[in-house]
Amino acid sequence: MSDLTDEELLDQLGIKPEKEKPAAHSAREERVIAGFEDIQRFVDRHGRAPQHGEDRDIFERLYAVRLDRLRELEDCRTLLLPLDRQGLLALGPQPAGFSDGDDDAALLAQLGVDETQQPLGDLQHVRSAAEKRVADEIANRERCADFDRFRPLFEAVQKELDSGIRQTRRFERKAEIEPGRFYIVGGQKAYVASMDEP
């Protein structure tokens, strides 16, 4: 049996090897294109180029920084220019249809939005932060100063759980809460030593 090279073996089998096509773009170029497409989708969705500013969404600010950088880098501009259907890479004034001079009222009027409507920031049916703090203060648990008095009870319950004498079960009703009973609260065993009226 003769030793054939890979090419000779493929030739005898009648298989023509396909030559690898070079990648159209490098990995870096693919990332640059994908980032630019994100910016273009933002422009399609919002009708304007992404802008800088603390009052802007974090993604919009990221897109604005990315667009600035793409405009500065000559190799990126050359790569993206054929894909720039919105004229975003043009340095200087914004692409046609965009205006920094429009104030919010004018933009809302163009969109047909009534400014007198309730602002989005005014929430209804949602507890305020102050109400949540009050509820949290009420629900805070305090460390038991005389825990050593109860330690044997906890150790006994743990032994009974380990041996199978005692089993855990799902908590059903608040009416089941009674002094002298154990509960699992937030993954920790809790013992009700005494109870006041609700």
Side-chain angles (χ1 to χ4, degrees), residues 31-88:
R31 285 193 306 272
V32 168
I33 291 170
F36 187 66
E37 288 171 345
D38 288 341
I39 296 169
Q40 288 180 314
R41 279 191 290 277
F42 175 88
V43 172
D44 289 340
R45 198 173 308 124
H46 297 282
R48 61 177 172 77
Q51 298 172 354
H52 299 280
E54 290 295 319
D55 59 330
R56 303 289 179 187
D57 178 69
I58 184 69
F59 290 106
E60 180 175 359
R61 293 177 5 211
L62 286 171
Y63 295 151
V65 169
R66 183 182 296 163
L67 182 57
D68 289 346
R69 190 72 177 132
L70 293 174
R71 286 173 175 160
E72 292 171 8
L73 298 172
E74 188 61 36
D75 60 330
C76 292
R77 285 173 30 115
T78 304
L79 173 68
L80 297 173
L81 211 49
L83 306 173
D84 188 14
R85 58 180 163 48
Q86 298 152 316
L88 295 171

Side-chain angles (χ1 to χ4, degrees), residues 57-136:
D57 178 69
I58 184 69
F59 290 106
E60 180 175 359
R61 293 177 5 211
L62 286 171
Y63 295 151
V65 169
R66 183 182 296 163
L67 182 57
D68 289 346
R69 190 72 177 132
L70 293 174
R71 286 173 175 160
E72 292 171 8
L73 298 172
E74 188 61 36
D75 60 330
C76 292
R77 285 173 30 115
T78 304
L79 173 68
L80 297 173
L81 211 49
L83 306 173
D84 188 14
R85 58 180 163 48
Q86 298 152 316
L88 295 171
L89 296 175
L91 294 174
Q94 286 186 324
F98 299 109
S99 170
D100 279 335
D102 291 341
D103 64 343
D104 290 342
L107 290 173
L108 289 173
Q110 288 176 358
L111 293 172
V113 177
D114 181 15
E115 272 190 275
T116 60
Q117 292 176 350
Q118 182 176 349
L120 291 177
D122 294 345
L123 301 176
Q124 294 179 351
H125 312 294
V126 178
R127 293 188 319 176
S128 70
E131 290 173 318
K132 290 178 189 174
R133 274 193 300 275
V134 168
D136 287 343

Side-chain angles (χ1 to χ4, degrees), residues 10 119 121:
L10 288 173

